[in-house]
Amino acid sequence: MPLQVSVFAENKPGKIKRITGVLAEKGINIRAVTISESGDYGIVKLLLDQPEAGCEALQKAGIAATLKEIIAVLMKDTPGGLHEVAAALSESGINVEDAYGFIVKSSESAVFVFQVGNPRMAEKMLAGRGFSMLGDKELYLL
Amino acid sequence: MVDRADTCAKKDGRKAMWNRELETLDRSSLEKLQMKKLEKTLESALRTRYYSRVFSDHGIDVARFRSIKDIAALPFTAKDDLRLSYPDGMCAVPRAEVVRMHASSGTTGKSTVIFYTMKDINDWAELVARCMVASGATREDVFQNMMGYGLFTGGLGLHYGAERLGCMVIPSAAGNTLRQIQLMKDFGTTIIHITPSYALHLGDEVSAQGVDPRELAVRKAYLGAEPYSEATRDKIENQWGLDAYNSYGLSEMNGPGVAFECIEKRGMHVWEDYYYIEIIDPVSGRPLPDGDEGELVITHLNREAMPVIRYRTRDLTAVIPGPCPCGRSHRRIERIKGRTDDMLIIGGVNVFPSQIETVLMKVPEVGNNYQIVLDRRENLDRIHIKVELYSKMFRGDLKELDNLKSRLARELQALIVVTPRIELLEPGSLEPSTGKAVRVIDSRKI
């Protein structure tokens, strides 16, 4: 199952730079990034080509970082593409905790990346309904 | 109720006193009375587990004491001694004789507890009545008590004294500004008991309602529970058009009523027939002469349930030499200049940084470094606590962090009454705890 790095950051200028600096130095590539903030602080979520190495490097630099399992489901890059995934999740009563999506130019498809309480169950459900998920290697090297 | 304050004022121009005989007792009779009361206090101290052990450890032979000055042979009692005697190692009477307890927060979680017999409660009320009459209060006054009731002694201490004097007491307790104002207006409050910062805030709130505080009936304010400057007193007096009097007390010595200003407003009279005071050098422990600033040490000469001998208050002050024009023979102390320890007074509540630390360090998600920032907005104390997130406990969940923040605020609020603003910082943002880290930044102007 793919992993994503969550990083705690104060909501102040220069805080993202500190994180990206560590990753750049280690030659770790960022595939996607989202930030959710709550007042004074927020969480930076990073999809990295080497999540374990990236997380370790950040921790070594004294940054609060942790790995989280995610689901990356492939969908059609057409109107209604995300709707199909959302409908499947909704019917199964699965709550999406945190998500983002992006398109993959080469394949005319798109990827919906999200966190859920029970990733294994969600993965099984989606696979059962014919969705294909990206494994860690596939996702990191998109 | 009979008006017990003497009414000499009307007959010969002298100011009223609650107990003229004792309040004007000549110094040598006063010292003899102190000695008599010390003997009784020592007897009762020997009935406590704590003092019987301490006296025997120090080879103290109480029978050889000849004058009150011999008290210097006795060891000091510290707040920690009270804490270590928790819950009742310093209680000198059987539980059935105790009618009340109060408690103040200890430095590391355990409280210091004070016990009172019925006589102790009565005597305390007598002293508070003395204080109030010294400030010119009479039974005609309407007394609104805006101090905390409960384990804190500020509310109940003045309450009983004001009732003893015969005032109408409005036990409004602290907070709820709009209701305080309504009560003052509707019942014609003439005296308020209040922290200085809240007095300023309340004055602003009254003005905000379009009422000049000076138009209200309030003519006296008893200010206590937190340090403040002479400039603040002037400000409160001008804002409200009243006379503000300094009040000093501490739960270990009953609570309020230990020392109080008379209408001369030149220092606080300590009721020396109840309290034996010494000023010492806080470092060497050696006694200092009148006029020199040092740490106030008090012996309670009059409590049955809980004798406390040579208690180190950690409050810095000086005895004012010479008699007071009011005619009372009891010496005066200056307003409290500061503390010899790191105790903070936040909105009238005593807080030690170590208490805040204890709460923070029990929470696994919190790192080792923290900082306490105090400031004052609209005359109310605000506390801001900066904590570092502990990296290893970070789960990558925003909701968890928000919950952590409110959990910390809740736990700290239970301790310090004021709701703190919690700021979560990245690990390593604050100075490490080794060395002389600045843990407290107090930017309040008192």
Side-chain angles (χ1 to χ4, degrees):
Chain A
M1 191 157 281
L3 295 167
Q4 178 169 272
V5 180
S6 295
V7 184
F8 174 75
E10 287 167 38
N11 200 355
K12 282 180 194 155
K15 294 299 183 185
I16 297 172
K17 182 182 150 219
R18 190 170 164 228
I19 298 164
T20 50
V22 172
L23 297 173
E25 197 186 312
K26 290 274 168 193
I28 291 166
N29 200 8
I30 301 170
R31 315 299 304 149
V33 58
T34 62
I35 299 176
S36 28
E37 61 89 47
S38 170
D40 297 338
Y41 53 79
I43 291 180
V44 181
K45 299 197 171 171
L46 299 155
L47 188 61
L48 305 176
D49 60 352
Q50 306 163 61
E52 280 105 342
C55 187
E56 205 189 314
L58 290 167
Q59 286 170 345
K60 276 203 179 129
I63 294 169
T66 188
L67 287 168
K68 278 249 183 198
E69 288 185 332
I70 46 164
I71 290 178
V73 58
L74 268 181
M75 53 196 180
K76 284 179 263 174
D77 184 16
T78 55
L82 177 58
H83 179 67
E84 281 178 17
V85 180
L89 291 167
S90 153
E91 279 160 26
S92 314
I94 293 171
N95 188 39
V96 173
E97 284 171 7
D98 198 89
Y100 55 91
F102 53 88
I103 54 165
V104 185
K105 275 193 186 144
S106 54
S107 63
E108 283 176 5
S109 59
V111 184
F112 183 56
V113 178
F114 61 98
Q115 277 176 215
V116 286
N118 186 341
R120 265 155 245 289
M121 194 185 86
E123 196 179 44
K124 209 169 147 193
M125 182 281 296
L126 287 167
R129 289 176 183 236
F131 289 99
S132 44
M133 257 81 49
L134 293 175
D136 43 6
K137 293 290 172 299
E138 292 163 287
L139 179 63
Y140 306 152
L141 301 174
L142 268 180
Chain B
M1 187 190 279
V2 185
D3 188 356
R4 268 199 39 195
D6 63 13
T7 46
C8 295
K10 288 167 200 151
K11 290 182 211 136
D12 59 7
R14 286 189 296 171
K15 296 295 178 194
M17 288 187 195
W18 180 250
N19 190 331
R20 185 169 298 276
E21 189 195 337
L22 285 169
E23 290 176 55
T24 59
L25 200 62
D26 66 273
R27 294 296 306 176
S28 110
S29 306
L30 187 55
E31 282 183 18
K32 279 189 200 115
L33 180 59
Q34 286 181 321
M35 183 58 202
K36 220 172 96 188
K37 288 190 168 194
L38 177 67
E39 282 167 3
K40 229 177 140 186
T41 299
L42 294 176
E43 270 173 43
S44 100
L46 281 168
R47 286 195 289 271
T48 68
R49 285 198 298 281
Y50 174 76
Y51 282 112
S52 63
R53 180 176 53 75
V54 168
F55 288 2
S56 100
D57 287 355
H58 284 76
I60 308 267
D61 182 5
V62 172
R64 289 166 66 182
F65 281 32
R66 289 292 169 266
S67 119
I68 186 72
K69 304 263 189 274
D70 294 333
I71 201 169
L74 298 169
F76 293 118
T77 304
K79 191 176 183 75
D80 250 6
D81 297 319
L82 268 74
R83 191 173 58 79
L84 294 170
S85 307
Y86 183 91
D88 59 1
M90 281 200 191
C91 190
V93 296
R95 182 59 58 87
E97 298 296 315
V98 176
V99 300
R100 195 196 296 170
M101 61 164 276
H102 279 284
S104 71
S105 46
T107 49
T108 51
K110 259 187 194 169
S111 318
T112 52
V113 180
I114 308 298
F115 299 100
Y116 308 78
T117 64
M118 199 63 241
K119 179 176 177 295
D120 295 335
I121 294 287
N122 279 327
D123 288 345
W124 184 13
E126 282 290 307
L127 288 191
V128 172
R130 275 191 204 177
C131 296
M132 293 183 70
V133 172
S135 76
T138 72
R139 59 196 299 268
E140 308 295 327
D141 279 302
V142 176
F143 175 72
Q144 191 164 330
N145 196 8
M146 304 189 198
M147 287 286 185
Y149 278 69
L151 287 174
F152 174 60
T153 53
L156 284 168
L158 258 289
H159 181 108
Y160 275 59
E163 283 186 353
R164 179 64 55 93
L165 171 57
C167 296
M168 177 172 113
V169 180
I170 306 177
S172 57
N176 202 340
T177 303
L178 292 180
R179 193 179 60 188
Q180 302 281 12
I181 297 171
Q182 195 66 48
L183 289 166
M184 284 193 290
K185 284 184 186 165
D186 294 352
F187 297 95
T189 301
T190 56
I191 306 179
I192 54 177
H193 180 213
I194 192 166
T195 60
S197 54
Y198 191 54
L200 288 168
H201 177 77
L202 192 63
D204 290 343
E205 290 291 315
V206 171
S207 302
Q209 292 192 4
V211 178
D212 182 350
R214 306 173 73 98
E215 285 166 16
L216 297 175
V218 184
R219 288 298 163 259
K220 294 184 210 307
Y222 299 154
L223 305 179
E226 66 187 22
Y228 66 108
S229 62
E230 215 40 53
T232 300
R233 164 159 40 193
D234 290 346
K235 207 171 157 190
I236 294 168
E237 291 189 330
N238 288 325
Q239 185 185 30
W240 287 86
L242 50 67
D243 285 300
Y245 296 91
N246 283 340
S247 162
Y248 176 73
L250 58 162
S251 64
E252 293 81 354
M253 290 296 139
N254 283 358
V258 175
F260 212 84
E261 277 183 328
C262 65
I263 50 168
E264 300 290 332
K265 292 198 268 188
R266 284 186 245 173
M268 299 178 281
H269 289 278
V270 179
W271 303 117
E272 292 184 89
D273 53 333
Y274 278 61
Y275 301 104
Y276 182 75
I277 56 165
E278 300 164 84
I279 301 288
I280 61 160
D281 178 329
V283 180
S284 69
R286 274 199 292 277
L288 295 173
D290 286 5
D292 282 13
E293 186 181 304
E295 182 181 336
L296 179 63
V297 171
I298 314 181
T299 300
H300 201 311
L301 296 171
N302 211 86
R303 197 160 50 197
E304 288 182 332
M306 189 159 163
V308 176
I309 294 157
R310 299 194 87 204
Y311 182 71
R312 293 194 63 159
T313 64
R314 299 285 174 191
D315 288 320
L316 292 171
T317 184
V319 170
I320 300 171
C324 179
C326 77
R328 288 178 182 81
S329 55
H330 299 241
R331 287 179 299 167
R332 292 160 296 157
I333 53 169
E334 285 177 3
R335 64 165 63 244
I336 303 303
K337 302 286 178 58
R339 299 272 308 171
T340 67
D341 60 13
D342 59 354
M343 188 179 87
L344 304 169
I345 302 177
I346 304 168
V349 179
N350 299 348
V351 178
F352 290 91
S354 55
Q355 287 177 287
I356 293 177
E357 180 173 313
T358 306
V359 171
L360 296 179
M361 294 307 131
K362 268 192 246 170
V363 179
E365 294 93 331
V366 168
N368 287 327
N369 303 320
Y370 65 92
Q371 200 170 57
I372 300 164
V373 181
L374 297 166
D375 64 4
R376 196 163 271 177
R377 185 185 271 182
E378 286 165 3
N379 293 309
L380 292 181
D381 287 346
R382 292 191 314 170
I383 176 163
H384 194 105
I385 297 172
K386 299 179 175 190
V387 293
E388 285 180 10
L389 189 70
Y390 181 51
S391 316
K392 292 211 165 57
M393 292 301 294
F394 176 60
R395 295 281 167 266
D397 188 345
L398 206 54
K399 261 180 287 170
E400 246 174 58
L401 296 176
D402 291 345
N403 287 342
L404 169 66
K405 232 172 92 163
S406 42
R407 199 166 89 225
L408 286 172
R410 221 170 33 241
E411 284 190 28
L412 288 164
Q413 199 249 333
L415 178 82
I416 58 180
V417 185
V418 184
T419 307
R421 193 179 119 71
I422 307 289
E423 196 177 327
L424 288 181
L425 301 180
E426 292 173 14
S429 310
L430 295 169
E431 244 187 287
S433 50
T434 49
K436 291 199 172 179
V438 180
R439 288 274 182 244
V440 179
I441 296 171
D442 194 344
S443 52
R444 296 175 295 182
K445 285 181 186 67
I446 60 165

